[in-house]
């Protein structure tokens, strides 16, 4: 079984990493797709996001990372994979995800989206929380995978965000 795990990963969090590690154990091939979220202004460049993902997912046998500038359904068509997986933290996420998966299913009949719950202790973690805590100089070590900490800290220490 193959799946695409799409997201903006701006930046990758311990929540994303946890889901990807669980998918690596369940699927023969996991394509981590770095996509553009039109509702969010980007903080890290796509190469930076990919670099951070690579550094924390090193050694995961079934995982590959790619970026895609377009609709998720077009990435699904290009890869031939028909299952997308999205994580959710709470019911509000489920509502958002439901709207997105219904649209995607209309655009690409036969595409399935599976929702996987995050682990309870990671429920509050999100990329936007990371950006906010880091922008105030707070400690992000519990929120971001260790190999990515330097990249995130450097971005905010330079006052770019
Ligand atoms: O990590 P995010 O920001 O929640 O990821 C959202 C993402 C990037 C998966 C979503 O915005 C997306 O699929 N973007 C590509 C455009 C698209 O296909 N939109 C859905 C149909 S309107």
């Amino acid at each position: 079984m193959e799946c695409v795990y799409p997201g903006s990963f701006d930046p990758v969090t311990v929540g994303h990493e946890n889901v990807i590690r669980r998918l690596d154990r369940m699927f023969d091939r996991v394509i981590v797709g770095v996509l553009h979220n039109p509702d969010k202004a980007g903080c890290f460049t796509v190469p930076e996001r990919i670099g951070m993902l690579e550094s924390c997912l090193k050694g995961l046998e079934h995982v590959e990372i790619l970026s895609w500038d377009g609709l998720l359904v077009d990435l699904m068509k290009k890869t031939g994979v028909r299952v997308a997986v999205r994580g959710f933290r709470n019911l509000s996420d489920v509502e958002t995800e439901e709207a997105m998966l219904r649209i995607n299913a209309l655009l690409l009949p036969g595409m399935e989206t599976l929702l996987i719950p995050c682990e309870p202790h990671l429920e509050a973690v999100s990329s936007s929380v990371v950006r906010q805590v880091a922008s105030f100089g707070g400690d992000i070590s519990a929120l971001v995978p260790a190999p990515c900490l330097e990249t995130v800290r450097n971005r905010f220490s330079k006052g770019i965000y």
Side-chain angles (χ1 to χ4, degrees):
M1 276 284 281
E2 306 176 316
C3 72
V4 170
Y5 178 61
S8 43
F9 306 106
D10 188 36
V12 61
T13 68
V14 288
H16 297 128
E17 183 193 15
N18 175 274
V19 168
I20 296 166
R21 288 183 182 278
R22 289 157 63 200
L23 296 179
D24 180 61
R25 293 196 289 269
M26 284 185 269
F27 288 86
D28 304 310
R29 184 180 178 212
V30 179
I31 299 173
V32 177
V34 179
L35 276 80
H36 175 62
N37 184 338
D39 298 328
K40 300 178 189 167
C43 175
F44 294 89
T45 65
V46 168
E48 283 171 332
R49 297 176 203 190
I50 290 177
M52 287 189 272
L53 282 162
E54 280 172 351
S55 67
C56 68
L57 302 176
K58 230 178 253 168
L60 292 186
E61 210 184 325
H62 307 104
V63 172
E64 54 198 85
I65 301 158
L66 56 80
S67 64
W68 182 252
D69 190 15
L71 291 172
L72 173 59
V73 288
D74 289 330
L75 173 62
M76 306 300 290
K77 283 181 200 161
K78 183 183 146 68
T79 56
V81 177
R82 285 296 174 265
V83 176
V85 179
R86 292 278 291 166
F88 70 95
R89 294 163 299 176
N90 47 42
L91 289 182
S92 152
D93 275 357
V94 172
E95 275 188 23
T96 310
E97 293 304 326
E98 188 193 6
M100 200 157 68
L101 72 84
R102 300 268 183 236
I103 293 292
N104 285 332
L106 282 175
L107 298 179
L108 182 58
M111 171 178 166
E112 298 284 357
T113 302
L114 308 180
L115 300 184
I116 184 169
C118 77
E119 291 197 19
H121 69 288
L122 299 173
E123 196 181 320
V125 180
S126 68
S127 297
S128 59
V129 163
V130 168
R131 294 195 300 270
Q132 187 170 125
V133 173
S135 70
F136 285 107
D139 180 7
I140 53 164
S141 56
L143 310 177
V144 171
C148 312
L149 280 170
E150 200 182 331
T151 306
V152 178
R153 284 183 181 137
N154 282 347
R155 166 55 37 89
F156 291 94
S157 71
K158 287 176 190 151
I160 291 169
Y161 182 64

